[in-house]
Amino acid sequence: MLVFLLRRLAQSVFVLIAMMIVVFFGVYMIGNPVDILISPDATPLEVEETMARFGFDQPVHIQFLKFIGNALQGDLGRSFVHGEPAVQLILSYMPATLELALLGLIFSVMIGVPLGVYAGYKADRWQGRAIMTGSIFGFSLPNFWVGMLLILIFAVELRWLPSTGRGETVEVLGMRLSIFSADGLQYMILPALTLALYKASLVTRLARAGTQEALMQDYVKFARAKGLSETRILVVHVLKNIMIPIITVLGLELGSMIAFAVVTETVFAWPGMGKLLIDSITTLDRPVIVAYLMLTVIIFIIINFTVDVIYTLLDPRVRVRGEAT
Amino acid sequence: MSVLDVRDLQTHFFTDAGVVKAVDGVSFSLDAGEVLGLVGESGSGKSVTGFSILRLVDAPGRVVGGQINFKGQDLATLSNREMRSLRGNRIAMIFQDPMMTLNPVLRIETQMVEAVRAHHRVSHAAAKDRAIRVLARVGIPSPADRLAAYPHQFSGGMRQRVAIAIALLNGPDLIVADEPTTALDVTIQSQILAEVQELARETGTALIWITHDLAVVAGLADKVSVMYAGRIVESGPTDDVLTAPGHPYTEGLLGSIPGHGRRGERLTQIPGMAPNMARLPVGCAFAPRCHRVDETCRAKAPAITDIGPKRGLRCFHPIVETEGAA
């Protein structure tokens, strides 16, 4: 198990270095931030001074080495716009995004798994077909449109839920979170549902395929021969067997929900990282973009790692293989 | 009164290629403590017969006719809920492949306790106690510790013992065993056979042992029914059928078993292949492979005739005693 962990860690470091190179040169090529930072009618001297202050006058490979040197000390630069260290800036926006993604994940499991298992159980009946047809909408409706539709129905027409903003926050472990206050939770429901819709249809399809396959297995027939109820067969025998592919996909999807909730956050004016990224791209705030992408990589690495650990909890056979290596 | 009485059972599969009569008019009965060997090649309908008794035939299959009387009750008339309360409780089943029948992600304890609690209102601890006792009876060493294990931590033979233990948990009146020793090696097979036989005798459980192996039947069963193409072609007390087979097919099966005192002799084989169940011949299904065949056999199918005490036979040209001793 230890060897396995160390190997994973080494792989992760390699991915990080590769990402650093790609991100730095990619952002470097987008354009010169000085053009945006100072007024168009500044004198050539002022331009040169600003360039020197941020180190833009140096050749690209010097800039890169400097960037790597600072990055190794945990310094990814200061935001040109906000003047704060980029990492700190992003981290201050992160709790809002994390809690939104988490609630979205919970919604997608709560909606997707039961629907999928039921659709797999009734695969040839109209109930199963109806669920599958419905899931196509989840796949194909664009995020922003779903968000606006939900606002229209639940905020404008029914006036059940607030449409934009974050609501009341509570400080937990040094982070300001909405999820722990009833008021804040209200503000989260619509954006989280918007995020969850696509994932829920994905989970539905995975759960259906898994259920159909599991139902053909001998252990299900044997469970029936034991006289178990269909409910117990589905909820205990089938569900535990189909959770592995679902967790794999959800892990990856959680990463993309955290890193790329841009559209949803914009529609609901949710002050998360996605909104910060969009703002930083329009102002060419290089350190923030770089730091954001680096953090995204780290998030994905952590999630994949967690998923592997969950496997061993779900499937006893993986545990043995892990011990053997 | 007999525990199980199957009359003219018909189980058909409605496939795109046509209706497959997997079980076509099968009848037999079984008393308490009695062991019936149901013998036949792959695809002869013996497993489907077993699943029909438990009403566990998968679509597109369906029991379309006949009666299955279990302790005087016609199973076809029971509701799904009533049927479920019989399954695993009064009628248990053991499957062929012990690698596939236990759920790989659930502990043995979970899988045994749920089988008890599906039928009895007992505490988890009481159900666990019973599980330990039954595991010990089927020869699992230190059963209390093994309950916490997962199926993959057992060998094939041990898994099948666990499956047998699950079948025995609620002390059923009937166990349908579908080739339970086929996937095991010979030493384990004989151990398990001896144990099951003993258990059945002790508890008075009736047993249907489905197999393609006549040697297994010889040592285990009180009576035997030989199936071919969905029908029973010969049935009777095991010793009588095995020493003096009446049907050319039974004779062929016996001739293909290697044994002591037959060294150097050529094993006979039944020519041809098991028939396509979707397109059976008009007459006797065995006719294309039979060495005693004539025009009558090709024209119409023979009915069951009694040829002695408790012996039935479906053949126009049975092997008579004098030439039958194999």
Side-chain angles (χ1 to χ4, degrees):
Chain A
M1 195 69 186
L2 191 69
V3 178
F4 169 76
L5 289 181
L6 287 175
R7 204 163 49 203
R8 282 304 290 268
L9 208 65
Q11 279 172 0
S12 310
V13 171
F14 181 78
V15 171
L16 260 181
I17 293 172
M19 190 66 188
M20 269 194 200
I21 296 171
V22 171
V23 167
F24 181 84
F25 287 100
V27 175
Y28 185 86
M29 284 199 298
I30 293 177
N32 190 345
V34 175
D35 299 341
I36 294 174
L37 283 175
I38 58 178
S39 63
D41 41 76
T43 62
L45 191 70
E46 281 175 316
V47 173
E48 230 160 84
E49 259 176 27
T50 321
M51 296 266 283
R53 183 147 49 89
F54 288 113
F56 295 149
D57 51 347
Q58 312 275 343
V60 60
H61 63 275
I62 302 285
Q63 282 188 43
F64 180 64
L65 288 177
K66 225 162 140 191
F67 164 73
I68 292 285
N70 289 337
L72 287 179
Q73 294 163 34
D75 177 13
L76 290 172
R78 274 170 181 278
S79 161
F80 301 150
V81 180
H82 300 264
E84 279 180 70
V87 176
Q88 209 177 315
L89 184 70
I90 294 167
L91 288 182
S92 70
Y93 280 83
M94 200 183 217
T97 298
L98 281 184
E99 63 177 357
L100 191 62
L102 197 69
L103 193 65
L105 189 77
I106 293 170
F107 279 167
S108 58
V109 171
M110 276 174 14
I111 298 169
V113 170
L115 279 182
V117 170
Y118 189 70
Y121 184 61
K122 299 263 180 195
D124 298 324
R125 313 284 286 276
W126 66 266
Q127 297 99 323
R129 295 220 177 88
I131 291 171
M132 280 304 102
T133 313
S135 81
I136 294 174
F137 287 102
F139 273 114
S140 45
L141 296 179
N143 233 333
F144 72 90
W145 187 82
V146 172
M148 293 197 299
L149 195 73
L150 287 179
I151 291 178
L152 192 70
I153 296 172
F154 292 102
V156 179
E157 290 297 327
L158 297 173
R159 293 177 184 278
W160 286 354
L161 295 164
S163 62
T164 55
R166 213 178 157 199
E168 190 186 310
T169 57
V170 183
E171 182 145 335
V172 181
L173 301 171
M175 293 183 292
R176 300 216 66 87
L177 295 176
S178 310
I179 203 164
F180 293 110
S181 79
D183 178 64
L185 205 56
Q186 278 192 4
Y187 280 85
M188 291 178 73
I189 290 175
L190 289 185
L193 265 182
T194 309
L195 270 181
L197 193 67
Y198 175 85
K199 319 290 172 200
S201 31
L202 197 67
V203 172
T204 304
R205 290 187 161 250
L206 279 171
R208 170 179 177 265
T211 304
Q212 276 185 296
E213 203 189 307
L215 283 176
M216 289 188 299
Q217 300 295 317
D218 268 3
Y219 62 75
V220 167
K221 210 164 187 185
F222 189 60
R224 288 197 173 125
K226 288 199 287 189
L228 302 185
S229 67
E230 293 293 292
T231 317
R232 178 159 179 104
I233 289 172
L234 286 177
V235 174
V236 177
H237 286 254
V238 170
L239 194 61
K240 211 173 168 200
N241 273 287
I242 65 170
M243 279 320 278
I244 286 177
I246 294 178
I247 296 229
T248 312
V249 173
L250 274 185
L252 295 172
E253 292 293 325
L254 176 66
S256 75
M257 263 204 269
I258 293 171
F260 311 116
V262 181
V263 175
T264 307
E265 288 186 0
T266 311
V267 170
F268 289 92
W270 185 262
M273 299 195 302
K275 224 169 155 296
L276 176 69
L277 178 68
I278 287 291
D279 295 344
S280 303
I281 289 174
T282 50
T283 55
L284 277 181
D285 198 343
R286 217 188 263 178
V288 178
I289 301 171
V290 173
Y292 183 88
L293 293 175
M294 301 301 296
L295 272 179
T296 308
V297 175
I298 293 173
I299 288 172
F300 270 96
I301 289 172
I302 294 173
I303 288 174
N304 279 339
F305 202 78
T306 317
V307 166
D308 281 342
V309 175
I310 296 180
Y311 280 169
T312 64
L313 295 180
L314 275 179
D315 192 340
R317 288 165 297 182
V318 179
R319 244 174 275 164
V320 171
R321 256 176 268 143
E323 281 154 18
T325 47
Chain B
M1 188 181 64
S2 59
V3 173
L4 183 73
D5 187 37
V6 176
R7 284 283 141 242
D8 197 30
L9 177 67
Q10 310 255 355
T11 305
H12 296 178
F13 284 73
F14 299 87
T15 68
D16 295 339
V19 177
V20 175
K21 298 178 176 177
V23 177
D24 189 13
V26 162
S27 305
F28 56 83
S29 74
L30 210 56
D31 291 333
E34 211 173 18
V35 181
L36 167 72
L38 201 54
V39 185
E41 285 171 283
S42 310
S44 60
K46 53 195 197 306
S47 293
V48 177
T49 304
F51 283 120
S52 300
I53 294 169
L54 276 98
R55 272 184 36 193
L56 280 177
V57 180
D58 286 326
R62 212 165 63 225
V63 176
V64 291
Q67 274 194 331
I68 303 170
N69 289 307
F70 176 71
K71 296 171 89 179
Q73 202 172 18
D74 185 359
L75 294 186
T77 61
L78 296 185
S79 70
N80 285 337
R81 178 177 286 271
E82 288 168 323
M83 191 62 215
R84 200 175 74 218
S85 70
L86 281 183
R87 269 187 224 126
N89 186 17
R90 307 320 322 148
I91 309 176
M93 187 154 181
I94 308 167
F95 287 40
Q96 177 168 4
D97 188 353
M99 297 302 179
M100 307 297 290
T101 48
L102 298 173
N103 193 325
V105 299
L106 298 176
R107 291 180 196 281
I108 301 299
E109 176 171 344
T110 315
Q111 304 193 42
M112 294 192 79
V113 166
E114 68 180 4
V116 177
R117 297 184 78 187
H119 302 290
H120 301 279
R121 290 181 164 275
V122 294
S123 69
H124 184 97
K128 193 177 164 182
D129 275 351
R130 193 187 299 194
I132 293 171
R133 277 205 310 277
V134 180
L135 279 180
R137 231 170 81 191
V138 298
I140 304 261
S142 54
D145 302 334
R146 301 301 275 159
L147 269 185
Y150 287 95
H152 71 268
Q153 293 165 308
F154 287 84
S155 68
M158 282 296 163
R159 282 192 219 189
Q160 196 62 292
R161 282 165 201 264
V162 172
I164 292 170
I166 291 176
L168 291 172
L169 268 177
N170 295 309
D173 300 308
L174 171 70
I175 297 178
V176 180
D178 184 9
E179 305 211 33
T181 56
T182 305
L184 306 176
D185 60 51
V186 193
T187 47
I188 308 290
Q189 185 175 326
S190 56
Q191 277 176 23
I192 288 188
L193 281 177
E195 280 161 18
V196 167
Q197 198 172 21
E198 197 187 311
L199 289 169
R201 200 167 298 149
E202 260 174 40
T203 56
T205 305
L207 194 61
I208 298 177
W209 197 275
I210 298 169
T211 181
H212 60 254
D213 190 347
L214 276 173
V216 167
V217 167
L220 180 73
D222 301 309
K223 55 186 187 182
V224 59
S225 291
V226 180
M227 279 190 81
Y228 188 81
R231 291 181 171 161
I232 290 179
V233 292
E234 176 161 17
S235 60
T238 307
D239 289 344
D240 296 357
V241 172
L242 296 193
T243 51
H247 197 281
Y249 178 63
T250 317
E251 183 196 32
L253 283 180
L254 284 166
S256 59
I257 305 171
H260 288 304
R262 293 186 57 186
R263 249 182 115 86
E265 265 180 65
R266 226 184 145 73
L267 294 174
T268 52
Q269 59 175 22
I270 304 173
M273 291 196 309
N276 179 348
M277 292 295 287
R279 267 178 292 139
L280 287 178
V282 195
C284 173
F286 188 60
R289 304 170 72 184
C290 187
H291 61 92
R292 305 170 72 91
V293 64
D294 70 4
E295 286 317 307
T296 335
C297 307
R298 294 204 179 87
K300 61 174 188 167
I304 287 263
T305 45
D306 289 342
I307 56 152
K310 293 179 179 176
R311 285 196 65 174
L313 187 65
R314 205 186 271 276
C315 187
F316 289 123
H317 309 291
I319 304 158
V320 288
E321 287 296 319
T322 46
E323 57 174 323

